[in-house]
Amino acid sequence: MINRLFLFLSIAFLAVSCSEKAEISTQTDDFFHLEEEGAFLPLWVRGNTSSGKILLYVQGGPGLNTLDLATVDYLGWKDGLEKDYAVAYYDQRGTGNAQGEFDWESISIEQYLKDLHKVVLLLKHQYPDNEVYLLGHSFGGWLGYLYALEYQNQSPVSGIIAANAPFTTDKNEVRWIFRQQFLINVAQEFVEQGHQPEFWTEVLQWTEENPQIETREQRRQWNRYVIEGLSAYEVEVPISVGKIIEGVFFSSLNIFPSLLSVERLDKLADLLFEDEEGIDVLSRVSELNTPLLMITGRYDDIAPPEEFYYAFDQIGSTQKKLVVLPDAGHESFLNQPELFREAVKEFVR
Amino acid sequence: MKNLIVLIGLWSFLSFSLQAQESDKGFYLKIAYAGGMITHPGVSIGAGYSLSQWSKAKSNGLYVDQEIRLGLKLGTYFHKRMHTGVYLTPDIEWIRTGAKGFQFGLNFSAGYLKTFIPSTYSVNNEGIVQQKGSGTQHFVFMPGIRLGKDLSKKGTGNVEWFVNNQLMFQTPYFDKTNKYLLTELGINLKIK
């Protein structure tokens, strides 16, 4: 009897949880899962699919969640980019609400690229008349560069938007040349403007005494200066109590893996950083031939404009653009949402 | 997983055999709303019996009853877009009932969970997309805290109502376990 009841309930709920059909609309709200190598990656498509264009958001961190940000609209795109285009959000393997039984060995850049490729193919299958653009932030943008390099002959992606995404990693010694030049330029700018002149003069003196950053102590000092001097460009978006309640109790999220597993996400980030450091994207930018938009903030110390000025001419893509947003830091879409939106629209149209 | 199902079957058999032998200690049926994260709807049904009961007189002359119950529970929850879960768990529970019928309990369930993940697709290496019915299977264990009231203490029927919060640990899962909150709001119907 119990077996029959169990079977009945199983069939009934399988029917209840049946698939959602993708429909073209100005207010699309579709949800899918990609099953790949033991993981079930949730994929949420929201916004204007009738535009014929989907921006696939690739999260940074690495190891940050995505669907929880989309749930509370932390990025602020519900009344922004999602009016112009559809935005697809997915939780990467090991983050957020990605379900399944997979092991730590699958947490690698190679697997993340495979997952990304299959998410792209699934989107193209569900919305065959839509173009797909990657919109990667920070590590997500770096993953986008690498995806374009590794999958450029197989991928149906129409372009890559790299938001605040450096080409270099900590293992690239040249990174610290760009960073030091960035600090010098920013310090000079602020001294000229009379903005915290004493502090920025001290910074300039330090850069003169330390023209090259080679030691751990020099890196620490550099970090201390940018944290103290540029903290005004870090954005904390307030989340209302109503949004939190909605996210915890009335959304598709299970908050336990999504928000209450900080230690796990730290371990995941460490693994990906370690894997990332063995990959040199900067030396391969001439191979990039996908249309590419790079957006960064003038005061982004992680993806400083100085690095993009160096890389820009070497990038192989014939359709490429660099936009440096004023008064913006590492989350330039939060500092300058309208300018960011305009830059994306100009590239995607 | 087969072994788990056999174990659950064995537990059920033993529970009901013991119940038959010691029916004077009370048998109960249970039905509850069983929401995932409180709000994602579900239902659980179950049955069990009181394995052991004892009473203790307090200084004011009133009695506090305590008992150990064994039971079996079948439940399901529907968490929109995430998954639908169906679980079968034997459980053991300690309950303390005050003179006015208020109850506090601690319980532990362990058993089998099957999930059904909606709108799932796979993409093979040739780029062919296929929709598939998918899900996961887990061993689950669920410690819980229960509050309730035994209405029979006031002579208003052999019924208890209760709220039971259980934290469900699902394994295997990425990084060993996944966690999920189940909240039951239901009634126990005591059958002598």
Side-chain angles (χ1 to χ4, degrees), chain A residues 138-197:
Chain A
S138 195
F139 166 79
W142 179 88
L143 208 60
Y145 302 137
L146 195 59
Y147 176 71
L149 289 167
E150 300 291 333
Y151 286 82
Q152 58 191 351
N153 297 322
Q154 309 161 48
S155 175
V157 156
S158 299
I160 293 175
I161 302 160
N164 307 83
F167 292 100
T168 58
T169 68
D170 271 348
K171 277 285 165 71
N172 289 109
E173 287 181 11
V174 70
R175 161 175 271 195
W176 288 96
I177 296 174
F178 303 135
R179 289 189 168 187
Q180 187 68 330
Q181 191 57 50
F182 163 77
L183 189 59
I184 293 167
N185 292 345
V186 167
Q188 285 174 343
E189 192 180 310
F190 283 137
V191 169
E192 282 168 22
Q193 290 172 6
H195 174 70
Q196 291 183 291

Short mmCIF file of all heavy atoms in Angstrom, two decimals, chain A residues 138-197:
data_model
loop_
_atom_site.label_atom_id
_atom_site.label_comp_id
_atom_site.label_asym_id
_atom_site.label_seq_id
_atom_site.Cartn_x
_atom_site.Cartn_y
_atom_site.Cartn_z
N SER A 138 34.07 40.87 -13.52
CA SER A 138 35.32 40.51 -12.85
C SER A 138 35.80 39.12 -13.28
O SER A 138 36.06 38.91 -14.47
CB SER A 138 35.12 40.61 -11.34
OG SER A 138 36.34 40.60 -10.67
N PHE A 139 35.87 38.16 -12.35
CA PHE A 139 36.28 36.80 -12.72
C PHE A 139 35.37 36.26 -13.84
O PHE A 139 35.83 35.53 -14.73
CB PHE A 139 36.20 35.89 -11.48
CG PHE A 139 36.27 34.42 -11.81
CD1 PHE A 139 37.48 33.81 -12.08
CD2 PHE A 139 35.12 33.65 -11.84
CE1 PHE A 139 37.54 32.45 -12.39
CE2 PHE A 139 35.16 32.30 -12.13
CZ PHE A 139 36.40 31.70 -12.41
N GLY A 140 34.09 36.62 -13.80
CA GLY A 140 33.15 36.16 -14.83
C GLY A 140 33.53 36.70 -16.21
O GLY A 140 33.36 36.02 -17.22
N GLY A 141 34.03 37.93 -16.25
CA GLY A 141 34.48 38.50 -17.52
C GLY A 141 35.75 37.83 -18.00
O GLY A 141 35.93 37.57 -19.20
N TRP A 142 36.65 37.56 -17.04
CA TRP A 142 37.89 36.85 -17.37
C TRP A 142 37.53 35.47 -17.95
O TRP A 142 38.13 35.02 -18.94
CB TRP A 142 38.73 36.70 -16.09
CG TRP A 142 40.02 35.97 -16.28
CD1 TRP A 142 41.23 36.50 -16.65
CD2 TRP A 142 40.24 34.56 -16.12
NE1 TRP A 142 42.17 35.52 -16.72
CE2 TRP A 142 41.60 34.32 -16.40
CE3 TRP A 142 39.43 33.48 -15.77
CZ2 TRP A 142 42.16 33.04 -16.33
CZ3 TRP A 142 39.98 32.21 -15.70
CH2 TRP A 142 41.33 32.00 -15.99
N LEU A 143 36.54 34.83 -17.34
CA LEU A 143 36.08 33.53 -17.85
C LEU A 143 35.52 33.71 -19.28
O LEU A 143 35.69 32.84 -20.14
CB LEU A 143 34.98 32.98 -16.92
CG LEU A 143 34.80 31.48 -16.84
CD1 LEU A 143 36.04 30.77 -16.34
CD2 LEU A 143 33.61 31.16 -15.92
N GLY A 144 34.88 34.85 -19.51
CA GLY A 144 34.36 35.16 -20.85
C GLY A 144 35.47 35.28 -21.88
O GLY A 144 35.36 34.75 -22.99
N TYR A 145 36.57 35.97 -21.51
CA TYR A 145 37.72 36.05 -22.44
C TYR A 145 38.21 34.64 -22.78
O TYR A 145 38.45 34.31 -23.94
CB TYR A 145 38.91 36.79 -21.81
CG TYR A 145 38.68 38.21 -21.35
CD1 TYR A 145 39.21 38.64 -20.13
CD2 TYR A 145 37.98 39.13 -22.13
CE1 TYR A 145 39.04 39.95 -19.69
CE2 TYR A 145 37.81 40.45 -21.68
CZ TYR A 145 38.32 40.84 -20.46
OH TYR A 145 38.15 42.12 -20.03
N LEU A 146 38.37 33.85 -21.71
CA LEU A 146 38.92 32.50 -21.91
C LEU A 146 37.95 31.64 -22.74
O LEU A 146 38.37 30.86 -23.60
CB LEU A 146 39.18 31.86 -20.54
CG LEU A 146 40.06 30.62 -20.54
CD1 LEU A 146 41.44 30.88 -21.13
CD2 LEU A 146 40.20 30.06 -19.12
N TYR A 147 36.67 31.82 -22.48
CA TYR A 147 35.66 31.09 -23.25
C TYR A 147 35.77 31.45 -24.73
O TYR A 147 35.73 30.59 -25.61
CB TYR A 147 34.27 31.42 -22.71
CG TYR A 147 33.15 30.79 -23.50
CD1 TYR A 147 32.91 29.42 -23.44
CD2 TYR A 147 32.33 31.56 -24.31
CE1 TYR A 147 31.89 28.84 -24.18
CE2 TYR A 147 31.30 31.00 -25.04
CZ TYR A 147 31.09 29.63 -24.98
OH TYR A 147 30.08 29.06 -25.71
N ALA A 148 35.94 32.74 -24.99
CA ALA A 148 36.05 33.19 -26.38
C ALA A 148 37.29 32.58 -27.04
O ALA A 148 37.28 32.25 -28.23
CB ALA A 148 36.11 34.71 -26.43
N LEU A 149 38.35 32.43 -26.26
CA LEU A 149 39.57 31.85 -26.81
C LEU A 149 39.44 30.35 -27.04
O LEU A 149 39.85 29.83 -28.07
CB LEU A 149 40.75 32.11 -25.85
CG LEU A 149 41.24 33.56 -25.77
CD1 LEU A 149 42.17 33.74 -24.57
CD2 LEU A 149 41.96 33.94 -27.06
N GLU A 150 38.86 29.66 -26.07
CA GLU A 150 38.82 28.20 -26.13
C GLU A 150 37.67 27.67 -27.00
O GLU A 150 37.75 26.57 -27.51
CB GLU A 150 38.68 27.62 -24.71
CG GLU A 150 39.82 27.99 -23.76
CD GLU A 150 41.13 27.32 -24.14
OE1 GLU A 150 41.09 26.25 -24.75
OE2 GLU A 150 42.20 27.91 -23.84
N TYR A 151 36.60 28.42 -27.10
CA TYR A 151 35.41 27.91 -27.78
C TYR A 151 35.03 28.75 -29.00
O TYR A 151 33.92 28.66 -29.49
CB TYR A 151 34.22 27.87 -26.81
CG TYR A 151 34.29 26.74 -25.80
CD1 TYR A 151 35.04 26.86 -24.65
CD2 TYR A 151 33.61 25.54 -26.02
CE1 TYR A 151 35.12 25.84 -23.72
CE2 TYR A 151 33.67 24.50 -25.09
CZ TYR A 151 34.43 24.67 -23.94
OH TYR A 151 34.49 23.64 -23.02
N GLN A 152 35.95 29.57 -29.51
CA GLN A 152 35.52 30.53 -30.52
C GLN A 152 35.05 29.90 -31.81
O GLN A 152 34.28 30.51 -32.55
CB GLN A 152 36.57 31.60 -30.77
CG GLN A 152 37.92 31.14 -31.21
CD GLN A 152 38.90 32.31 -31.15
OE1 GLN A 152 38.53 33.45 -30.94
NE2 GLN A 152 40.18 32.02 -31.31
N ASN A 153 35.46 28.67 -32.08
CA ASN A 153 34.98 28.03 -33.32
C ASN A 153 33.70 27.24 -33.10
O ASN A 153 33.09 26.75 -34.04
CB ASN A 153 36.07 27.12 -33.89
CG ASN A 153 37.29 27.94 -34.29
OD1 ASN A 153 37.15 29.05 -34.79
ND2 ASN A 153 38.48 27.41 -34.02
N GLN A 154 33.30 27.08 -31.85
CA GLN A 154 32.11 26.26 -31.56
C GLN A 154 30.97 27.09 -30.97
O GLN A 154 29.84 26.63 -30.92
CB GLN A 154 32.44 25.19 -30.52
CG GLN A 154 33.66 24.35 -30.81
CD GLN A 154 34.14 23.67 -29.53
OE1 GLN A 154 33.37 23.07 -28.79
NE2 GLN A 154 35.43 23.77 -29.26
N SER A 155 31.27 28.28 -30.51
CA SER A 155 30.29 29.00 -29.73
C SER A 155 29.39 29.89 -30.59
O SER A 155 29.87 30.60 -31.47
CB SER A 155 30.99 29.87 -28.68
OG SER A 155 30.03 30.65 -28.02
N PRO A 156 28.10 29.87 -30.29
CA PRO A 156 27.19 30.77 -30.99
C PRO A 156 27.08 32.15 -30.34
O PRO A 156 26.21 32.93 -30.69
CB PRO A 156 25.85 30.03 -30.88
CG PRO A 156 25.95 29.26 -29.61
CD PRO A 156 27.40 28.95 -29.38
N VAL A 157 27.98 32.45 -29.40
CA VAL A 157 27.90 33.74 -28.70
C VAL A 157 28.19 34.89 -29.68
O VAL A 157 29.11 34.82 -30.49
CB VAL A 157 28.91 33.75 -27.54
CG1 VAL A 157 29.31 35.15 -27.16
CG2 VAL A 157 28.31 33.05 -26.33
N SER A 158 27.37 35.94 -29.61
CA SER A 158 27.51 37.06 -30.54
C SER A 158 28.49 38.12 -30.06
O SER A 158 28.91 38.96 -30.86
CB SER A 158 26.14 37.72 -30.75
OG SER A 158 25.24 36.79 -31.30
N GLY A 159 28.81 38.11 -28.81
CA GLY A 159 29.75 39.09 -28.30
C GLY A 159 29.97 38.93 -26.82
O GLY A 159 29.21 38.22 -26.14
N ILE A 160 31.01 39.57 -26.34
CA ILE A 160 31.34 39.48 -24.92
C ILE A 160 31.41 40.88 -24.32
O ILE A 160 32.07 41.76 -24.88
CB ILE A 160 32.67 38.74 -24.71
CG1 ILE A 160 32.46 37.27 -25.13
CG2 ILE A 160 33.15 38.84 -23.27
CD1 ILE A 160 33.68 36.45 -25.10
N ILE A 161 30.69 41.04 -23.22
CA ILE A 161 30.77 42.29 -22.46
C ILE A 161 31.50 41.95 -21.17
O ILE A 161 31.01 41.16 -20.36
CB ILE A 161 29.36 42.84 -22.16
CG1 ILE A 161 28.60 43.07 -23.47
CG2 ILE A 161 29.45 44.12 -21.34
CD1 ILE A 161 27.10 43.14 -23.30
N ALA A 162 32.67 42.51 -21.02
CA ALA A 162 33.49 42.23 -19.84
C ALA A 162 33.43 43.45 -18.93
O ALA A 162 33.96 44.51 -19.27
CB ALA A 162 34.91 41.92 -20.24
N ALA A 163 32.73 43.29 -17.82
CA ALA A 163 32.59 44.40 -16.89
C ALA A 163 33.63 44.27 -15.79
O ALA A 163 33.63 43.27 -15.05
CB ALA A 163 31.18 44.41 -16.30
N ASN A 164 34.52 45.22 -15.70
CA ASN A 164 35.53 45.25 -14.63
C ASN A 164 36.30 43.94 -14.55
O ASN A 164 36.53 43.41 -13.48
CB ASN A 164 34.87 45.56 -13.28
CG ASN A 164 34.02 46.82 -13.33
OD1 ASN A 164 32.86 46.77 -13.76
ND2 ASN A 164 34.59 47.93 -12.94
N ALA A 165 36.66 43.44 -15.73
CA ALA A 165 37.31 42.12 -15.79
C ALA A 165 38.75 42.26 -16.28
O ALA A 165 38.98 42.52 -17.46
CB ALA A 165 36.52 41.21 -16.72
N PRO A 166 39.72 42.08 -15.38
CA PRO A 166 41.11 42.19 -15.81
C PRO A 166 41.52 40.99 -16.68
O PRO A 166 40.93 39.92 -16.58
CB PRO A 166 41.88 42.18 -14.49
CG PRO A 166 40.99 41.47 -13.53
CD PRO A 166 39.59 41.76 -13.96
N PHE A 167 42.52 41.19 -17.50
CA PHE A 167 43.08 40.07 -18.29
C PHE A 167 44.08 39.29 -17.45
O PHE A 167 44.34 38.13 -17.70
CB PHE A 167 43.79 40.62 -19.53
CG PHE A 167 42.87 41.24 -20.53
CD1 PHE A 167 42.73 42.62 -20.60
CD2 PHE A 167 42.13 40.45 -21.41
CE1 PHE A 167 41.88 43.21 -21.53
CE2 PHE A 167 41.27 41.03 -22.33
CZ PHE A 167 41.15 42.41 -22.40
N THR A 168 44.68 39.98 -16.49
CA THR A 168 45.79 39.37 -15.74
C THR A 168 45.31 38.70 -14.46
O THR A 168 44.21 38.98 -13.96
CB THR A 168 46.81 40.46 -15.34
OG1 THR A 168 46.12 41.44 -14.56
CG2 THR A 168 47.43 41.10 -16.56
N THR A 169 46.17 37.85 -13.94
CA THR A 169 45.97 37.29 -12.60
C THR A 169 47.17 37.70 -11.75
O THR A 169 48.12 38.32 -12.27
CB THR A 169 45.89 35.75 -12.64
OG1 THR A 169 47.18 35.26 -13.01
CG2 THR A 169 44.85 35.29 -13.65
N ASP A 170 47.15 37.30 -10.50
CA ASP A 170 48.27 37.66 -9.62
C ASP A 170 49.60 37.06 -10.08
O ASP A 170 50.66 37.52 -9.70
CB ASP A 170 47.97 37.25 -8.17
CG ASP A 170 47.23 38.35 -7.43
OD1 ASP A 170 47.17 39.48 -7.97
OD2 ASP A 170 46.69 38.09 -6.34
N LYS A 171 49.52 36.00 -10.86
CA LYS A 171 50.76 35.36 -11.33
C LYS A 171 51.41 36.13 -12.48
O LYS A 171 52.58 35.93 -12.77
CB LYS A 171 50.45 33.91 -11.78
CG LYS A 171 50.42 32.91 -10.64
CD LYS A 171 51.83 32.58 -10.17
CE LYS A 171 51.89 31.87 -8.84
NZ LYS A 171 51.42 30.51 -8.85
N ASN A 172 50.63 37.01 -13.14
CA ASN A 172 51.21 37.85 -14.19
C ASN A 172 51.97 38.99 -13.53
O ASN A 172 51.37 39.87 -12.92
CB ASN A 172 50.11 38.48 -15.07
CG ASN A 172 49.42 37.47 -15.96
OD1 ASN A 172 48.28 37.13 -15.73
ND2 ASN A 172 50.12 36.99 -16.96
N GLU A 173 53.31 38.97 -13.66
CA GLU A 173 54.09 40.03 -13.01
C GLU A 173 53.74 41.40 -13.56
O GLU A 173 53.80 42.41 -12.86
CB GLU A 173 55.57 39.74 -13.16
CG GLU A 173 56.01 38.59 -12.28
CD GLU A 173 57.49 38.29 -12.39
OE1 GLU A 173 58.20 39.11 -12.99
OE2 GLU A 173 57.89 37.25 -11.86
N VAL A 174 53.32 41.41 -14.84
CA VAL A 174 53.00 42.68 -15.48
C VAL A 174 51.79 43.35 -14.82
O VAL A 174 51.64 44.57 -14.90
CB VAL A 174 52.79 42.43 -17.00
CG1 VAL A 174 51.52 41.65 -17.26
CG2 VAL A 174 52.80 43.72 -17.78
N ARG A 175 50.97 42.55 -14.14
CA ARG A 175 49.79 43.12 -13.46
C ARG A 175 50.20 44.26 -12.53
O ARG A 175 49.53 45.28 -12.45
CB ARG A 175 49.09 42.02 -12.67
CG ARG A 175 48.17 42.53 -11.59
CD ARG A 175 47.39 41.44 -10.90
NE ARG A 175 46.13 41.22 -11.60
CZ ARG A 175 45.09 40.55 -11.10
NH1 ARG A 175 45.17 40.01 -9.91
NH2 ARG A 175 44.00 40.40 -11.78
N TRP A 176 51.33 44.06 -11.84
CA TRP A 176 51.73 45.07 -10.85
C TRP A 176 52.35 46.30 -11.49
O TRP A 176 52.41 47.35 -10.86
CB TRP A 176 52.62 44.43 -9.79
CG TRP A 176 51.78 43.55 -8.93
CD1 TRP A 176 51.59 42.20 -9.06
CD2 TRP A 176 50.90 43.98 -7.89
NE1 TRP A 176 50.67 41.76 -8.16
CE2 TRP A 176 50.23 42.82 -7.42
CE3 TRP A 176 50.61 45.20 -7.31
CZ2 TRP A 176 49.28 42.88 -6.39
CZ3 TRP A 176 49.68 45.26 -6.29
CH2 TRP A 176 49.02 44.10 -5.84
N ILE A 177 52.75 46.18 -12.74
CA ILE A 177 53.20 47.38 -13.46
C ILE A 177 51.98 48.25 -13.75
O ILE A 177 51.99 49.46 -13.53
CB ILE A 177 53.93 46.97 -14.77
CG1 ILE A 177 55.20 46.21 -14.42
CG2 ILE A 177 54.23 48.21 -15.62
CD1 ILE A 177 55.93 45.63 -15.62
N PHE A 178 50.90 47.61 -14.23
CA PHE A 178 49.67 48.36 -14.50
C PHE A 178 49.12 48.98 -13.21
O PHE A 178 48.67 50.12 -13.19
CB PHE A 178 48.58 47.46 -15.09
CG PHE A 178 48.99 46.77 -16.35
CD1 PHE A 178 48.70 45.41 -16.54
CD2 PHE A 178 49.64 47.45 -17.37
CE1 PHE A 178 49.08 44.77 -17.70
CE2 PHE A 178 50.00 46.81 -18.53
CZ PHE A 178 49.72 45.46 -18.70
N ARG A 179 49.17 48.20 -12.17
CA ARG A 179 48.58 48.67 -10.91
C ARG A 179 49.36 49.85 -10.34
O ARG A 179 48.77 50.79 -9.81
CB ARG A 179 48.50 47.52 -9.91
CG ARG A 179 47.43 46.52 -10.32
CD ARG A 179 47.16 45.49 -9.26
NE ARG A 179 45.94 44.75 -9.61
CZ ARG A 179 45.36 43.87 -8.83
NH1 ARG A 179 45.87 43.60 -7.64
NH2 ARG A 179 44.25 43.25 -9.21
N GLN A 180 50.67 49.78 -10.44
CA GLN A 180 51.46 50.88 -9.92
C GLN A 180 51.23 52.14 -10.75
O GLN A 180 51.10 53.24 -10.20
CB GLN A 180 52.95 50.50 -9.90
CG GLN A 180 53.85 51.50 -9.22
CD GLN A 180 53.60 51.59 -7.70
OE1 GLN A 180 52.48 51.37 -7.22
NE2 GLN A 180 54.64 51.91 -6.96
N GLN A 181 51.14 51.98 -12.06
CA GLN A 181 50.88 53.12 -12.93
C GLN A 181 49.50 53.72 -12.61
O GLN A 181 49.32 54.94 -12.61
CB GLN A 181 50.96 52.71 -14.41
CG GLN A 181 50.97 53.89 -15.37
CD GLN A 181 52.11 54.86 -15.07
OE1 GLN A 181 53.27 54.46 -14.95
NE2 GLN A 181 51.79 56.15 -14.92
N PHE A 182 48.56 52.82 -12.35
CA PHE A 182 47.20 53.25 -11.97
C PHE A 182 47.25 54.11 -10.71
O PHE A 182 46.65 55.20 -10.66
CB PHE A 182 46.34 52.00 -11.73
CG PHE A 182 45.07 52.21 -10.95
CD1 PHE A 182 43.95 52.79 -11.55
CD2 PHE A 182 44.97 51.81 -9.61
CE1 PHE A 182 42.78 52.98 -10.83
CE2 PHE A 182 43.80 52.00 -8.90
CZ PHE A 182 42.71 52.59 -9.51
N LEU A 183 48.01 53.65 -9.72
CA LEU A 183 48.08 54.38 -8.45
C LEU A 183 48.73 55.75 -8.66
O LEU A 183 48.26 56.75 -8.11
CB LEU A 183 48.86 53.56 -7.41
CG LEU A 183 48.83 54.08 -5.99
CD1 LEU A 183 47.42 54.15 -5.44
CD2 LEU A 183 49.69 53.19 -5.07
N ILE A 184 49.75 55.78 -9.49
CA ILE A 184 50.42 57.06 -9.77
C ILE A 184 49.44 58.03 -10.46
O ILE A 184 49.30 59.19 -10.06
CB ILE A 184 51.67 56.83 -10.67
CG1 ILE A 184 52.74 56.05 -9.90
CG2 ILE A 184 52.23 58.16 -11.18
CD1 ILE A 184 53.87 55.51 -10.76
N ASN A 185 48.75 57.52 -11.47
CA ASN A 185 47.83 58.39 -12.23
C ASN A 185 46.70 58.91 -11.35
O ASN A 185 46.35 60.09 -11.42
CB ASN A 185 47.23 57.61 -13.41
CG ASN A 185 48.28 57.31 -14.47
OD1 ASN A 185 49.37 57.89 -14.46
ND2 ASN A 185 47.98 56.39 -15.37
N VAL A 186 46.16 58.02 -10.54
CA VAL A 186 45.04 58.42 -9.67
C VAL A 186 45.52 59.44 -8.64
O VAL A 186 44.86 60.45 -8.38
CB VAL A 186 44.42 57.18 -8.98
CG1 VAL A 186 43.48 57.60 -7.85
CG2 VAL A 186 43.66 56.34 -10.00
N ALA A 187 46.72 59.19 -8.07
CA ALA A 187 47.26 60.10 -7.05
C ALA A 187 47.49 61.48 -7.66
O ALA A 187 47.13 62.51 -7.06
CB ALA A 187 48.55 59.53 -6.48
N GLN A 188 48.08 61.52 -8.85
CA GLN A 188 48.32 62.81 -9.50
C GLN A 188 47.01 63.55 -9.77
O GLN A 188 46.89 64.75 -9.54
CB GLN A 188 49.07 62.59 -10.82
CG GLN A 188 50.55 62.26 -10.60
CD GLN A 188 51.27 61.88 -11.89
OE1 GLN A 188 50.63 61.55 -12.89
NE2 GLN A 188 52.59 61.90 -11.85
N GLU A 189 46.03 62.79 -10.22
CA GLU A 189 44.72 63.37 -10.53
C GLU A 189 44.11 64.01 -9.28
O GLU A 189 43.63 65.15 -9.32
CB GLU A 189 43.83 62.24 -11.04
CG GLU A 189 42.54 62.65 -11.68
CD GLU A 189 41.76 61.41 -12.13
OE1 GLU A 189 42.33 60.54 -12.81
OE2 GLU A 189 40.57 61.33 -11.77
N PHE A 190 44.16 63.29 -8.19
CA PHE A 190 43.54 63.79 -6.96
C PHE A 190 44.33 64.96 -6.37
O PHE A 190 43.74 65.89 -5.80
CB PHE A 190 43.36 62.68 -5.93
CG PHE A 190 42.20 61.76 -6.23
CD1 PHE A 190 42.32 60.40 -6.10
CD2 PHE A 190 40.97 62.29 -6.65
CE1 PHE A 190 41.24 59.55 -6.38
CE2 PHE A 190 39.90 61.46 -6.93
CZ PHE A 190 40.04 60.09 -6.80
N VAL A 191 45.65 64.91 -6.49
CA VAL A 191 46.46 66.04 -6.00
C VAL A 191 46.10 67.29 -6.79
O VAL A 191 45.89 68.37 -6.21
CB VAL A 191 47.97 65.72 -6.10
CG1 VAL A 191 48.80 66.98 -5.85
CG2 VAL A 191 48.34 64.64 -5.09
N GLU A 192 46.00 67.14 -8.10
CA GLU A 192 45.64 68.30 -8.95
C GLU A 192 44.26 68.84 -8.61
O GLU A 192 44.02 70.04 -8.63
CB GLU A 192 45.66 67.89 -10.43
CG GLU A 192 47.06 67.81 -11.02
CD GLU A 192 47.07 67.12 -12.37
OE1 GLU A 192 46.01 67.08 -13.03
OE2 GLU A 192 48.14 66.60 -12.75
N GLN A 193 43.36 67.94 -8.26
CA GLN A 193 41.99 68.36 -7.93
C GLN A 193 41.88 68.89 -6.50
O GLN A 193 40.82 69.38 -6.10
CB GLN A 193 41.03 67.18 -8.07
CG GLN A 193 40.78 66.73 -9.50
CD GLN A 193 39.97 65.45 -9.56
OE1 GLN A 193 39.50 64.94 -8.54
NE2 GLN A 193 39.82 64.91 -10.75
N GLY A 194 42.95 68.72 -5.74
CA GLY A 194 42.91 69.15 -4.34
C GLY A 194 42.06 68.24 -3.47
O GLY A 194 41.59 68.63 -2.41
N HIS A 195 41.93 67.01 -3.88
CA HIS A 195 41.13 66.04 -3.14
C HIS A 195 42.06 65.23 -2.23
O HIS A 195 42.93 64.51 -2.72
CB HIS A 195 40.41 65.12 -4.14
CG HIS A 195 39.68 64.00 -3.50
ND1 HIS A 195 38.53 64.18 -2.76
CD2 HIS A 195 39.93 62.67 -3.48
CE1 HIS A 195 38.12 63.00 -2.32
NE2 HIS A 195 38.95 62.07 -2.75
N GLN A 196 41.91 65.35 -0.93
CA GLN A 196 42.79 64.69 0.05
C GLN A 196 44.27 64.85 -0.34
O GLN A 196 44.99 63.86 -0.51
CB GLN A 196 42.47 63.20 0.15
CG GLN A 196 41.13 62.90 0.80
CD GLN A 196 40.93 61.41 0.92
OE1 GLN A 196 40.75 60.70 -0.09
NE2 GLN A 196 40.97 60.90 2.12
N PRO A 197 44.73 66.09 -0.53
CA PRO A 197 46.08 66.29 -1.09
C PRO A 197 47.21 65.68 -0.24
O PRO A 197 48.17 65.16 -0.79
CB PRO A 197 46.20 67.81 -1.18
CG PRO A 197 45.15 68.36 -0.27
CD PRO A 197 44.06 67.37 -0.24
#
